[in-house]
Amino acid sequence: MTPQTAVETGTMTGKQHIELVEHNAAHNYHPLPIVVAKAEGVWVEDVEGKRYMDMLAAYSAVNFGHCHPELIAVAKEQLDRVTLTSRAFHNDQLGPLCKELAEYCGMEAILPMNTGAEAVETAIKTARKWGYTFKGVPDGKAKIICCEDNFHGRTTTIVSFSTDPTCRAGFGPFTPGFEIIKYGDIDALENAIDDNTVGFLVEPIQGEAGILVPPPDYLRRVRELCSKKKVLLILDEIQSGLGRTGRTLCCDHDGVKPDILILGKALGGGIMPISAIVSSREILSVFHPGEHGSTFGGNPLACAIARKVVQILKTNKYQDNARDMGEYLFGKLRTIRTDKVKEIRGRGLWVGIEFHPAAGVARDYCKRLMNEGMLCKDTHEQTMRLAPPLCITKDEIDWAFERLEKVLT
Ligand code: PXG
């Protein structure tokens, strides 16, 4: 069958699907050659009916598993009621979500957006305006400190403070107002803070950098320093948050509360993009009508789903399973005897396996695992990331481990 006929009859092979993307879409990704047609829990199925275990969970956007029945039910119910009002009018899901999410995070108020990058942009605007309003920073002088190897998204401002040449090259001129310091280095932060510093934007564990875990007391000391110097601590928990590390937020491990918390990905239950910054009423009071927003931000469909996500999180079921299955998986990984692996690190169900340069690139291992029926993804050249949906069972970990052991040794 020719590709055109196959498109029309909906009977395309995986190869034909990939060719369509190659020919008709920008090449801003390099996906593994699998075409998913449906999914449930930790399993996905390709267009030819082959099943794979998903050990990536859409970079933590599918923390509660694919097509979680309660989330799908809420989405379907909301689809039949109302999906979008814009913020020109109120809707009956936004208010409840704001209260429920803010309270659940132990904070006071939220500002909803859609994608993670939008929420990061929102945090940047908030911190700058807060600096001018509450800290007396001269207009146009606000400085935000960020870390080397950060990943906070793809907008022109966000790539302005990226240190990854691939993210930046060709996209200048860049937004000023950011200073980059070494991650995990408290002295570097102390030295970088000046009178015009309004915020420190940081990931509690750096995901895209390769699941880099900072020194044990880092976050606590960052919190103390930011409080002492009147600098907003802005934690990007878009990937680390909502159960991934075995606690609701990664910063919960350290008993640290940020001034601005950034959430995204799993907040939409893997169904709708919804992100938010969560903060205090005082900090969020910097915004007045017209100063910030988004057509879809706070839409009732996404809010209804996010409300169910908060309810699901309140059971602690997924956090507990991430902790227990994470310990189980790390325990098993440590038994592997191989000279290929340089380091295994992470927290909860978030694992980075770094290969020695001589052992080849991580992508090759991901391809081999794909052939064994398991999907995961490399980050940078040498690190493979495992981040399965948090509903994964012990038997499923055993299944995954068999394949990992085979491919790693
Ligand atoms: N902060 C962190 C820590 C992230 O991991 C973002 C912000 C941006 O979120 P949005 O929703 O704007 O992508 C992320 C995103 C990709 C990709 O395809 C993105 C992430 C991880 C892997 C791939 O751009 N993380």
Side-chain angles (χ1 to χ4, degrees), residues 29 59 115-117 120 151-154 203 208 236 238-239 265:
Y29 280 97
Y59 300 107
T115 64
V120 172
F151 188 90
H152 298 286
R154 304 288 196 173
E203 300 155 83
E208 292 319 289
D236 181 344
I238 288 169
Q239 199 172 158
K265 292 195 193 281

Side-chain angles (χ1 to χ4, degrees), residues 148-195:
E148 277 172 16
D149 299 321
N150 70 71
F151 188 90
H152 298 286
R154 304 288 196 173
T155 66
T156 38
T157 286
I158 293 171
V159 301
S160 296
F161 53 83
S162 171
T163 58
D164 180 353
T166 314
C167 294
R168 286 168 59 89
F171 299 123
F174 298 111
T175 309
F178 300 96
E179 183 174 332
I180 293 156
I181 61 168
K182 201 164 165 250
Y183 184 61
D185 184 339
I186 194 75
D187 296 332
L189 178 61
E190 183 147 28
N191 292 334
I193 292 174
D194 60 22
D195 290 346

Side-chain angles (χ1 to χ4, degrees), residues 96-115:
L97 173 68
C98 294
K99 179 173 157 55
E100 289 157 11
L101 181 60
E103 277 179 10
Y104 183 58
C105 296
M107 295 170 99
E108 291 174 345
I110 82 164
L111 196 166
M113 295 295 280
N114 310 286
T115 64

Side-chain angles (χ1 to χ4, degrees), residues 246-308:
R247 301 289 296 265
T248 301
L249 302 173
C250 189
C251 60
D252 291 340
H253 290 284
D254 303 278
V256 160
K257 236 172 85 174
D259 299 297
I260 300 176
L261 169 68
I262 314 177
L263 297 175
K265 292 195 193 281
L267 187 59
I271 301 173
M272 281 288 287
I274 175 169
S275 62
I277 67 166
V278 190
S279 187
S280 68
R281 285 194 189 90
E282 180 181 89
I283 291 170
L284 288 179
S285 75
V286 300
F287 288 111
H288 304 101
E291 292 176 353
H292 190 58
S294 145
T295 309
F296 280 83
N299 72 78
L301 179 56
C303 287
I305 294 165
R307 290 181 68 194
K308 181 55 86 176

